[in-house]
Amino acid sequence: MSVEKIVEKILSDARAEAQQMLESARSQAAQIREQAQLEAQRQRELILARAQQEAQSRRRAQLAAATAAARNAVLEAKRTVLAKVFEHVAERLATMPAPEYKSWLLRLLVESSETGDEEVILSPGDRQTLGETLVREANAQLEQRGKKGALRLSLETRNFERGFVLKGRNSEINVTLETLLRRAQEELEIEVARMLFEEESAGGR
């Protein structure tokens, strides 16, 4: 399975929580829009008492300011949602119990292998505690799937918290936790931004 599909697995875990937080963000943005529109209307009525022409100009300015305030509130809410979601996901993945972490690592390793004979680069800690066992079990699972099971534990280690790097003959696949979360966050930012844009467009019609 490609890294993109692994990212999608993390995204599916994050979407549910993001959706719940987005509901709160939408409510907040709606309240700001409503308050801004009420204030714009009040200002319009006051200005109409002085001069119709001036009122129209001021009303346009007030509505423009209200629209900008609402948009900024939505964008800020989106940033808060994403930060909370990925803070939660990162914390959950970083504090997995050892057996669960090993299973997660083994699944990613089997699904990420493209040729079945790459070198597996781990962090110093993971290489010491999981290295040989992890690679042996991954090879067994690859063979069960009818693939080549010839992964090799690299003598090289790298300084990342969790995950691994698969080193092929001419390429490397980075499947570290930091990289997976960054790619997933980029994907979700695009997705949330599209949702908010569609809502704003619908509201403006």
Side-chain angles (χ1 to χ4, degrees):
M1 183 179 291
S2 64
V3 174
E4 285 70 21
K5 291 187 178 179
I6 297 170
V7 168
E8 180 59 30
K9 289 181 182 293
I10 294 178
L11 279 174
S12 65
D13 292 338
R15 282 193 181 100
E17 187 168 349
Q19 185 62 37
Q20 183 177 357
M21 291 182 177
L22 277 171
E23 292 297 333
S24 175
R26 293 189 188 102
S27 177
Q28 178 186 358
Q31 290 177 2
I32 291 175
R33 289 191 187 98
E34 182 179 358
Q35 291 171 1
Q37 288 170 354
L38 288 173
E39 177 62 19
Q41 180 64 26
R42 189 178 73 84
Q43 290 292 332
R44 178 178 179 275
E45 291 173 356
L46 290 174
I47 295 168
L48 276 172
R50 300 188 210 123
Q52 183 67 26
Q53 184 176 5
E54 181 184 355
Q56 290 296 331
S57 177
R58 291 289 296 274
R59 179 175 181 272
R60 284 193 294 270
Q62 289 289 339
L63 288 176
T67 300
R71 183 182 298 110
N72 289 338
V74 170
L75 292 174
E76 184 59 33
K78 183 195 74 171
R79 295 189 191 100
T80 301
V81 167
L82 293 175
K84 287 182 178 179
V85 166
F86 281 92
E87 180 181 352
H88 173 72
V89 172
E91 181 180 358
R92 179 159 53 85
L93 292 176
T95 57
M96 280 189 292
E100 185 180 347
Y101 173 58
K102 179 187 174 185
S103 297
W104 179 77
L105 207 60
L106 179 61
R107 177 173 56 83
L108 289 184
L109 186 54
V110 172
E111 292 175 350
S112 301
S113 177
E114 295 180 346
T115 63
D117 62 356
E118 299 97 335
E119 281 189 63
V120 182
I121 303 174
L122 298 170
S123 67
D126 283 349
R127 189 183 191 284
Q128 181 177 357
T129 58
L130 299 173
E132 294 291 350
T133 301
L134 181 71
V135 171
R136 184 171 60 252
E137 293 183 10
N139 281 330
Q141 289 193 20
L142 286 170
E143 289 176 356
Q144 289 174 1
R145 298 184 181 194
K147 297 181 179 180
K148 187 176 182 180
L151 296 176
R152 305 179 309 283
L153 180 62
S154 177
L155 294 175
E156 178 186 359
T157 60
R158 296 188 188 176
N159 292 322
F160 43 76
E161 290 297 325
R162 293 197 158 192
F164 55 87
V165 171
L166 274 179
K167 186 175 183 179
R169 292 182 179 84
N170 301 308
S171 63
E172 286 189 358
I173 302 176
N174 188 322
V175 197
T176 61
L177 178 58
E178 178 183 4
T179 298
L180 291 175
L181 287 175
R182 184 177 66 249
R183 293 186 64 176
Q185 186 165 5
E186 290 171 356
E187 293 274 350
L188 192 55
E189 282 177 346
I190 294 171
E191 184 175 322
V192 172
R194 183 171 59 250
M195 291 167 60
L196 293 174
F197 175 78
E198 290 172 353
E199 288 178 0
E200 287 184 359
S201 297
R205 287 199 295 268

